[in-house]
Amino acid sequence: MDKQTGRYAALTKRLVDSVLATPGHTATKLRRAVFARAFGPHAVTLPLSSPLSGTERGTGGEDIAPDLAAYVDKVAVHAYKVTDEDLTALQQAGNSDDVLFEVTVSAALGAALGRLERGLSALRGEASPPDPLSTPWSSPPVPLSAARRGGTQE
């Protein structure tokens, strides 16, 4: 995001600061680690008042509990697959609704801005490293037939 310029840079900085740097039910360090994990593989220089630590800058999730790390990955890559059971398990592990909300928002924001940055890099003609959270395809996906999509067969 250090290359982000233009009319939305100030708004993006304010949004990121609001989510990651203001007081909440979770530590700022945790929200920043969640954001960085969901953001992806770039060396991230966030528009924040203070930079991320070395472990937060990576995507290994060293600053995130294992159960939350798996949840962050799911939100970042397949948010539509998050179920009530996922949240119930995290609540039973001792996470409050407020903690889960802040982790979810941090992960969603990180994933969104990571995708935006990778898209803008592509438009600028720059190569970007593969996202380690993405599932690599061993072969290209096979398109569904018209019958399996619910369409008509020709």
Side-chain angles (χ1 to χ4, degrees):
M1 286 183 29
D2 56 330
K3 297 176 185 175
Q4 184 177 359
T5 58
R7 61 183 170 185
Y8 299 114
L11 294 172
T12 302
K13 179 188 180 330
R14 193 168 82 190
L15 174 63
V16 171
D17 282 343
S18 296
V19 171
L20 303 182
T22 57
H25 293 278
T26 57
T28 299
K29 182 178 178 180
L30 174 62
R31 283 179 274 149
R32 290 182 182 193
V34 166
F35 178 94
R37 182 179 181 95
F39 187 93
H42 290 301
V44 182
T45 304
L46 300 173
L48 302 171
S49 51
S50 60
L52 296 173
S53 72
T55 54
E56 290 170 334
R57 197 173 296 116
T59 59
E62 296 87 350
D63 297 332
I64 305 170
D67 58 342
L68 282 178
Y71 174 71
V72 167
D73 293 348
K74 194 171 198 178
V75 169
V77 179
H78 302 290
Y80 63 95
K81 291 184 179 181
V82 173
T83 64
D84 289 341
E85 290 78 23
D86 295 328
L87 296 172
T88 300
L90 290 168
Q91 288 169 332
Q92 290 173 347
N95 298 292
S96 70
D97 287 343
D98 293 324
V99 167
L100 294 176
F101 175 77
E102 291 177 9
V103 166
T104 302
V105 170
S106 298
L109 181 61
L113 292 179
R115 287 183 183 106
L116 174 63
E117 182 58 35
R118 287 187 291 279
L120 293 174
S121 293
L123 289 173
R124 290 188 295 262
E126 301 167 358
S128 76
D131 187 344
L133 296 179
S134 295
T135 305
W137 293 97
S138 56
S139 61
V142 178
L144 295 174
S145 68
R148 289 182 53 205
R149 285 192 312 252
T152 58
Q153 290 182 322
E154 296 177 17

